[in-house]
Amino acid sequence: MPEDDAAGPARRRMRRSTRRARTDPQVRVSLLGAFALTVDGAARELPRGARRLVALLGLHPRGLSRIAAAERLAPHLEAASAGATLRKTLTRVRATRLPLIRANGEMLRLHPGVAIDLWEAEALAARLADHGQLLPEYGRHEVLTLVLLPGWEDDWAERARTTTQGRFLCALEVYARRLHSRGDRYQALTVCQQAWESDPLHESTVAALVGIHLASGDRGQALGAYDIFERQLAATYELEPTERLRKLVAPLLAGRPRP
């Protein structure tokens, strides 16, 4: 009996699967900072519709139904037209011959071999915010200051951008406090400053920065950060800082007239 016959169909399938795995390209999708697709380290372009579909699925690790994906990508079209547009987009994605999207019946997901920077950043944010986790190598946090799909005006992109930025800033604030409690004041201030620059009107970030300055005895820097935030908030939204933040700096505001 030939060796392959003795090995049986299961072993032959395993060999074919191994050969395919060796030839699969390394596909990476970036959603933070700007949309980008690289294949084996080289930049690749996608048609606009394909980019939007890949980005949408990148925001939903568990996948989306075809109906839900079509509604989000073409909210201005009726269901039948939106579905037809989605089918055309999937055809264009398949034409790239890249392992990007896996269709399983009515569900669409990114191919399991696709690396997504957003998913990696989410895992890092969870680690930074978890006091039971060891701190990672300093500098990796900078990815959390990047904006998700900047300039994309789709409702689903804007919602995800707001939610993601809030989670990332929260993680950076916790990280900065952890660094400060460990005695790394310089790095703690650097993290807070970077987070603040990514969203100058995020009050809890300012509160973390002011708190670190106060804990370090640097009242002037604390008041300076508060004053900048107060002016920017008034100029942008005609609002005042919350009472919680004002209480934090109350000893520094004594005798100063309320704006």
Side-chain angles (χ1 to χ4, degrees), residues 59-215:
L59 301 179
H60 297 273
R62 296 182 180 179
L64 281 175
S65 69
R66 291 174 182 263
I67 293 176
E71 288 176 347
R72 285 167 172 77
L73 293 172
H76 57 290
L77 297 179
E78 295 183 355
S81 298
T85 300
L86 176 62
R87 288 192 292 274
K88 292 178 182 177
T89 299
L90 287 169
T91 299
R92 293 190 179 100
V93 173
R94 285 192 289 269
T96 67
R97 298 185 179 277
L98 294 174
L100 282 171
I101 296 176
R102 176 170 289 181
N104 183 11
E106 286 301 307
M107 291 297 297
L108 300 175
R109 294 181 178 85
L110 288 181
H111 190 280
V114 176
I116 306 290
D117 67 342
L118 175 63
W119 300 356
E120 297 166 355
E122 293 277 11
L124 175 61
R127 181 178 175 185
L128 294 180
D130 185 350
H131 288 271
Q133 292 282 335
L134 295 176
L135 293 180
E137 180 182 354
Y138 180 74
R140 291 187 59 197
H141 69 279
E142 292 179 4
V143 68
L144 303 183
T145 66
L146 299 177
V147 177
L148 175 69
L149 297 173
W152 288 41
E153 298 179 354
D154 303 86
D155 288 345
W156 51 268
E158 291 181 346
R159 288 194 299 269
R161 185 182 306 128
T162 299
T163 302
T164 300
Q165 187 172 37
R167 288 200 300 267
F168 285 0
L169 288 175
C170 179
L172 288 172
E173 293 157 18
V174 175
Y175 180 43
R177 292 188 177 102
R178 292 180 67 189
L179 287 170
H180 189 262
S181 66
R182 200 176 65 175
D184 295 334
R185 178 175 180 268
Y186 175 81
Q187 292 184 355
L189 289 173
T190 300
V191 170
C192 258
Q193 188 67 38
Q194 291 170 332
W196 189 20
E197 289 172 357
S198 72
D199 186 354
L201 298 178
H202 200 263
E203 184 168 306
S204 63
T205 302
V206 180
L209 180 60
V210 168
I212 292 174
H213 279 311
L214 289 175

Side-chain angles (χ1 to χ4, degrees), residues 193-242:
Q193 188 67 38
Q194 291 170 332
W196 189 20
E197 289 172 357
S198 72
D199 186 354
L201 298 178
H202 200 263
E203 184 168 306
S204 63
T205 302
V206 180
L209 180 60
V210 168
I212 292 174
H213 279 311
L214 289 175
S216 302
D218 199 336
R219 295 161 59 90
Q221 291 290 336
L223 183 58
Y226 174 82
D227 282 341
I228 292 172
F229 173 72
E230 185 181 42
R231 290 196 302 270
Q232 290 179 323
L233 191 63
T236 305
Y237 295 122
E238 297 184 354
L239 294 174
E240 296 180 359
T242 63

